[in-house]
Amino acid sequence: ALRMEQLTRACFARTEPPVRLTPREIAVLKLISTGARHREAAKALGIGEETVRSHVKSAQLKLDARNRAHAVAEALRRNLIP
């Protein structure tokens, strides 16, 4: 039990470097978090699908995420998107 407590404490004590997403990356991740596809996000924001993909990839790199779902989860966990 003590080992588990130590691991838990260490996990929560770690600090992560701050991530700075652009306003557009945040807007794209918000839309994706609601279930929007790239095409739907592009239409809602008045930009191209490839531009949406670019914003998602950029956010993934900044958040060290493996895929777009992981990027959304990380952004939510870090309170970068509501």
Side-chain angles (χ1 to χ4, degrees):
L2 182 59
R3 176 76 176 139
M4 182 59 91
E5 183 179 328
Q6 290 169 338
L7 288 172
T8 305
R9 191 176 310 133
C11 182
F12 286 113
R14 72 179 175 149
T15 57
E16 296 169 331
V19 173
R20 298 191 49 110
L21 298 178
T22 67
R24 191 60 94 181
E25 290 165 348
I26 292 169
V28 168
L29 288 178
K30 276 186 195 176
L31 286 167
I32 289 173
S33 74
T34 66
R37 293 186 164 111
H38 288 157
R39 180 174 298 172
E40 296 163 337
K43 186 174 181 181
L45 297 171
I47 58 178
E49 258 185 271
E50 286 302 316
T51 306
V52 169
R53 280 184 177 71
S54 175
H55 289 309
V56 171
K57 285 293 182 191
S58 178
Q60 280 179 233
L61 286 171
K62 290 177 182 180
L63 294 165
D64 196 27
R66 291 181 294 276
N67 53 49
R68 64 187 232 148
H70 188 202
V72 168
E74 280 297 310
L76 287 166
R77 189 179 67 76
R78 296 174 188 223
N79 295 317
L80 299 173
I81 59 174

